[in-house]
Amino acid sequence: MATRVDAVVLQNAGRLEIETRDCADPGPGEVVVAPRVVGICGSDLHLYKEGRIGDSILQRPLVLGHEAAGRVVAVGPGVDGLRAGDRVIVEPGLACGECRLCRLGHYNLCPNVRFLGIPPTDGLMAGLACVPARWVHRLPDSLSDEAGAMIEPFAVGLQAVEEAGVKPGETVVILGAGPIGLMILQAARIRGAGTIVSIDLAERPLAVASQLGATVTVNPRLADPLSIVRDLTDGEGADVVIEAVGATPTIRQAFDLVRRGGRITLVGIAWEPVIPISTNRIVRSGLQVRSSFRYAHQHPVAITLASAGRVDLLAPITHRFEFDRAPDAFRYVEQRKDEVVKGVIELEASAR
Ligand SMILES: [Zn+2]
Ligand SMILES: [Zn+2]
């Protein structure tokens, strides 16, 4: 028997509505989760504004949201280890588990993945959501629901520094101090990065970056990142540059900031479909250009580090919105990009 629940539904680009939907009973291997806190992610804003992100195009109304913490309310047949009332988070990339990449452990690259809240798969900004139990992680009592909702972006940060191969003592430049840039910063600090430079065009996220342990913050409107990074590295450039913006100027700048033989890791999804870069420069300077896409096996690590107090998951959260006001929240966040670092939607305790 289906339950009626309210959900935040993107009807088409720019039009978000609270809509009542059916939530089915959990099938075999599934659980029903009642989200309490759901983060508003850059990809949600991409979808909201453009009706698409990358190759994923909105074809029908879609429930948004992939950064959620909540409670299990019902458990389907054959589910072990989860019970009604458990505090949980949902890992939103539902990989197939069968393909070669999944079997190799690189399930972030699964070509058959269904990602909650990205077309065509409905997400978690709803009173209830039915999800496969294997993608549900229990949340320790030491972590709040808000912290739980931030585990997903932190997992992105952990994956990025792992792909970048950050080593103790290295100089790491992070382009972008949005929620993902701030999570990368904390992950780099945990891995023992020496000097961490955080670069952003807005002051508010830079203030959070300082608070979270950036050695130096730079606003390119006020100072030249290149001369600052050169000063910090005896003119050599950074060992590692991680790009977490996805804009043409910052992607280009990554190549200016890195040292000879250094590593660039691209995390941001670019708005431009094609950005010219000099391959000769990559070859002649011995650069390693890498990428980091989502995460694999990082959620349990993220939960452990967070419950050990190694990371401040709440610092990026600057705005909290009630579920009923979610459509306004998106408009607000979209219009005040410089002021909002991370916004979250808070649901009432009871399922609607
Ligand atoms: Zn996200
Ligand atoms: Zn797969």
Side-chain angles (χ1 to χ4, degrees):
M1 208 186 66
T3 314
R4 305 286 285 166
V5 291
D6 284 348
V8 177
V9 178
L10 183 62
Q11 303 289 347
N12 42 50
R15 193 158 69 90
L16 207 55
E17 286 171 4
I18 305 270
E19 194 184 287
T20 307
R21 292 222 166 178
D22 284 340
C23 174
D25 288 342
E30 291 181 332
V31 296
V32 172
V33 172
R36 289 268 179 96
V37 177
V38 187
I40 300 174
C41 177
S43 64
D44 298 324
L45 293 168
H46 251 284
L47 275 169
Y48 170 65
K49 233 174 99 177
E50 312 264 298
R52 64 180 295 161
I53 177 158
D55 296 334
S56 305
I57 299 161
L58 190 74
Q59 308 274 14
R60 57 166 184 82
L62 180 85
V63 180
L64 292 180
H66 60 265
E67 303 173 353
R71 302 285 181 282
V72 173
V73 296
V75 174
V79 173
D80 289 330
L82 286 171
R83 288 190 303 185
D86 282 351
R87 300 180 63 241
V88 293
I89 58 169
V90 182
E91 183 170 346
L94 315 182
C96 78
E98 309 284 328
C99 73
R100 182 172 156 78
L101 286 157
C102 279
R103 283 185 285 116
L104 287 170
H106 306 301
Y107 67 81
N108 55 319
L109 304 177
C110 172
N112 312 315
V113 70
R114 292 181 301 131
F115 199 92
L116 299 173
I118 302 286
T121 309
D122 282 322
L124 300 166
M125 267 182 208
L128 295 171
C130 191
V131 294
R134 61 179 283 222
W135 297 109
V136 172
H137 303 273
R138 287 227 295 227
L139 203 60
D141 287 340
S142 54
L143 296 180
S144 65
D145 292 329
E146 281 191 346
M150 294 301 102
I151 290 288
E152 194 268 355
F154 183 44
V156 174
L158 289 171
Q159 180 87 12
V161 297
E162 189 172 311
E163 300 281 11
V166 173
K167 292 196 274 289
E170 285 192 320
T171 297
V172 179
V173 172
I174 301 159
L175 288 155
I180 296 298
L182 293 171
M183 295 303 183
I184 293 170
L185 159 61
Q186 299 195 79
R189 204 193 54 213
I190 290 169
R191 278 181 83 105
T195 302
I196 303 177
V197 182
S198 177
I199 304 178
D200 202 283
L201 290 169
E203 287 298 323
R204 185 149 190 197
L206 288 178
V208 182
S210 294
Q211 182 194 330
L212 293 176
T215 321
V216 181
T217 62
V218 187
N219 184 339
R221 290 194 171 114
L222 308 173
D224 176 26
L226 192 57
S227 58
I228 289 172
V229 169
R230 288 210 173 124
D231 285 349
L232 287 166
T233 57
D234 294 330
E236 285 190 357
D239 299 305
V240 174
V241 178
I242 303 179
E243 205 283 344
V245 181
T248 303
T250 45
I251 290 169
R252 289 234 170 97
Q253 193 169 47
F255 291 83
D256 297 329
L257 295 170
V258 75
R259 67 164 165 82
R260 292 175 69 78
R263 284 110 64 207
I264 292 172
T265 299
L266 304 176
V267 180
I269 302 286
W271 294 82
E272 294 288 331
V274 176
I275 296 169
I277 50 171
S278 163
T279 56
N280 277 342
R281 186 170 185 185
I282 294 171
V283 175
R284 298 177 73 99
S285 300
L287 303 181
Q288 297 180 49
V289 182
R290 304 173 176 183
S291 65
S292 183
F293 185 58
R294 297 178 180 161
Y295 33 70
H297 313 290
Q298 302 289 2
H299 279 66
V301 181
I303 291 170
T304 302
L305 290 168
S307 61
R310 302 282 302 278
V311 55
D312 184 346
L313 295 175
L314 301 184
I317 300 177
T318 50
H319 290 73
R320 294 163 173 87
F321 303 95
E322 286 170 28
F323 179 79
D324 294 334
R325 294 193 52 242
D328 300 330
F330 271 72
R331 210 169 304 124
Y332 185 97
V333 173
E334 180 55 36
Q335 284 167 2
R336 293 176 174 78
K337 277 211 190 76
D338 282 6
E339 183 194 323
V340 181
V341 182
K342 184 74 179 181
V344 296
I345 304 284
E346 316 229 312
L347 287 86
E348 282 170 11
S350 62
R352 288 137 190 278

